[in-house]
Structure formats: structure tokens, C-alpha cells
Amino acid sequence: MSFNLLLAQALNGLQFGVLLFLMAAGLTLVFGIMSFINLAHGALYMFGAYFAALVFAASGSFGLALLAAAGGVFILAALLDAGGLAVLHKRDHLDQVLATFGIVLFSNEFVRWAWGNSPLFMDTPEALSNSVQILGFNYPAYRFAIIGVGLAVALGLYALIERTRIGMLIRAGASNREMVSALGVNIGWLNRFVFALGAGLAGLAGAMVGPILSIQPGMGEPILVLTLVVIVIGGIGSIRGAFLGALVVGVVDTLGRVLLPIWLRELFDASVANAAGPALASMLVYLLMVLVLAFKPDGLFPVKARQQ
């Protein structure tokens, strides 16, 4: 394997990890702070992709499409919370799983009814349609933009949680919501904001993936599974854990799918290697999760360790 190919795949893994972080950051906030299991997070990611595709087709502005995706899903999540999910905040996790899984089923059928089964496609923004030369090879500028957006979101979330008053209230509410409520803070509205913020990040991820993947019903389920793996590896409720866990999963998954078939060809026939390589590569992230759980059951960066 050439150095350029290895570097290109490493950058692809980094870009995939950043997209996973946009998903995992919101979900780990909701679960870690509210103790709410939201299986509909992937459906909100799907709605973000559809919102972006429709606005981009109508306006031609990718920036407006990003705003529509993140803002539209933020509002949608706030309405879902006000419309019934808030009742489940204090209910058993099984009730939360059943309710949000029902939202997944309804969302997929709604998308099929509204936009059909045929996938939608978004063009790459003209300003980002060129390539950037790095160490002697060209890499798509749009994928660099995804990495940049993810890093900006990570810094923004850190500043929000660690350096603002609302971040202080979120951290305090996660530790002792009864005391925060007794001090006059509306915990219900605070939880709604956290839920909508996490959903907005999922919508942003859906919009960013539009130009590189097809937009279709059910697109949220596969990435939701990997997002849960990221949260388990990084530590529930930890933004830092979600960021580093997402990068690790993204790079391991991407490089595994490229390197394993090549290595297996040295030991087996090409047909066997080509068949077994992708299958084994898809298992790598789950094996990584098992190893982390075996040695650090709370994840690599658990919130308790951060707060001590």
C-alpha cells in the first residue's frame, strides 16, 4: 500500500469520526445529563439530511441548508419533547426505548410517504468542490470542511458546557437536579434545551453527510449503532470522551476496511480475502468496545473521573 493511499484513508477515517462525533455529542449529553435513552436520534439525523436537501434544492445555498437542518431539527425535537417525551424523563428506560423506537418507525414511514423510497442527492457546494493538495496528493476540500465543522462544534460545546452560565446549570442539573430546581431553575426547560441541542447536532450531521451519501428512509439506523459504540467507548455523558471515541472508531473502521483485505491476501486466495476482509473489518469497532468494557467499564473518559 502506498503512503498516499494510507494517508487518504486516515483522513477519511478522521472525517468519518467527526461525523460520528456530531451524532455522539448530542446523544451523550441527553443520556448522560437527562438519563434519557433516545433511539430516535438517528431519525432526527435523517430529518436533518432531508431538510438540508430540500432547502439546498430550493435556494442553492449550502449555508442556508445547514441552518435549516440544524434549526429545523432543533425545533422538531423541542416539539417532540413538549408533545409527550418530557413525560418519559422520569420513567423507566424501557418506556423510553419503546416510545423512541416507535418514533423511529413512524419517521421512516412518514419520510416514505412524503418523499418516496427513491434516494435524494445533494451536490457538493461549488466553493468546496475542488481539491486540496496535501503531501503530494489531492484530497476533496469538502471532506476537509467536514473536519473543520466538527472541530468547531467540539470547541463550541466545550465553551458552552464549561464557560457559560447555562453550561454551569446543565452540569449542576446533571449532578443534583432537585437542588437546582429548588434554586428556581426550570429543570423542564433546561432538559428540553439539552434534548433539542443534541438533536440539532444530529441534524447538522445529516446535512453535512448529504453531499457524500444518498439521503433515504432508514439512513439513521446504521449510524445510530456506531454512535452508541462511540458513547460506550468514550464514556456516557462525556463530550471529551465522545470526541476522542468518535475519532478512534472512525479511523479504526475506515482503515480496517482497507487494510484487512490487503493483509489477508498475503495469507489466503484473493477471493477469500475479499470476502472475509470486509466482514472482519466491520467487527473491529465492536471488538474495540469489548476491550474497553473489559478494562474500563465506565469508558475511556467517564464523567465522574472528570468531575473529581
Side-chain angles (χ1 to χ4, degrees):
M1 172 180 288
S2 67
F3 172 76
N4 285 350
L5 179 59
L6 182 62
L7 181 59
Q9 294 304 319
L11 288 173
N12 285 340
L14 181 62
Q15 172 254 303
F16 182 44
V18 164
L19 283 175
L20 285 176
F21 167 70
L22 292 177
M23 290 287 292
L27 194 58
T28 199
L29 277 176
V30 171
F31 187 50
I33 292 173
M34 300 167 54
S35 189
F36 184 83
I37 299 178
N38 179 24
L39 293 186
H41 203 67
L44 295 169
Y45 160 87
M46 176 182 66
F47 276 116
Y50 272 94
F51 291 166
L54 295 174
V55 172
F56 185 68
S59 66
S61 171
F62 189 70
L64 190 60
L66 293 182
L67 290 176
V73 175
F74 182 96
I75 294 171
L76 176 61
L79 292 175
L80 285 174
D81 189 70
L85 291 183
V87 178
L88 299 173
H89 290 178
K90 297 182 180 180
R91 298 284 292 272
D92 187 81
H93 285 164
L94 179 60
D95 295 337
Q96 298 168 0
V97 167
L98 292 175
T100 54
F101 182 67
I103 293 175
V104 172
L105 298 178
F106 174 83
S107 298
N108 288 337
E109 293 305 316
F110 176 81
V111 166
R112 289 190 179 94
W113 170 78
W115 294 292
N117 282 318
S118 299
L120 301 181
F121 298 93
M122 288 178 61
D123 293 329
T124 303
E126 186 175 351
L128 298 172
S129 59
N130 58 334
S131 298
V132 176
Q133 191 172 53
I134 175 172
L135 298 179
F137 79 101
N138 293 325
Y139 192 75
Y142 182 74
R143 292 182 180 267
F144 270 124
I146 293 176
I147 296 172
V149 169
L151 295 177
V153 169
L155 291 174
L157 280 177
Y158 174 80
L160 175 68
I161 300 298
E162 301 291 342
R163 296 289 185 264
T164 66
R165 185 176 186 275
I166 192 169
M168 178 190 66
L169 293 177
I170 290 172
R171 287 183 281 116
S175 301
N176 194 329
R177 66 178 63 194
E178 289 79 11
M179 180 62 72
V180 174
S181 181
L183 293 174
V185 177
N186 190 323
I187 289 295
W189 281 102
L190 187 64
N191 285 341
R192 187 161 300 160
F193 171 77
V194 171
F195 184 76
L197 175 63
L201 293 177
L204 177 62
M208 295 299 297
V209 82
I212 57 178
L213 294 178
S214 61
I215 301 169
Q216 57 191 350
M219 62 181 291
E221 281 74 7
I223 197 170
L224 177 64
V225 175
L226 282 178
T227 301
L228 293 173
V229 172
V230 167
I231 293 174
V232 170
I233 291 174
I236 295 173
S238 171
I239 295 297
R240 179 178 61 166
F243 181 71
L244 295 177
L247 295 185
V248 169
V249 169
V251 171
V252 168
D253 182 76
T254 302
L255 288 182
R257 294 178 186 278
V258 175
L259 296 178
L260 272 180
I262 295 176
W263 290 340
L264 288 176
R265 288 192 196 106
E266 302 295 328
L267 302 173
F268 305 102
D269 292 335
S271 59
V272 175
N274 292 335
L280 293 174
S282 64
M283 298 169 57
L284 281 179
V285 293
Y286 303 105
L287 292 175
L288 176 63
M289 181 180 68
V290 169
L291 289 175
V292 171
L293 288 176
F295 294 100
K296 297 199 69 175
D298 292 331
L300 297 177
F301 301 98
V303 171
K304 289 182 180 180
R306 180 177 61 84
Q307 291 176 342
Q308 287 176 350

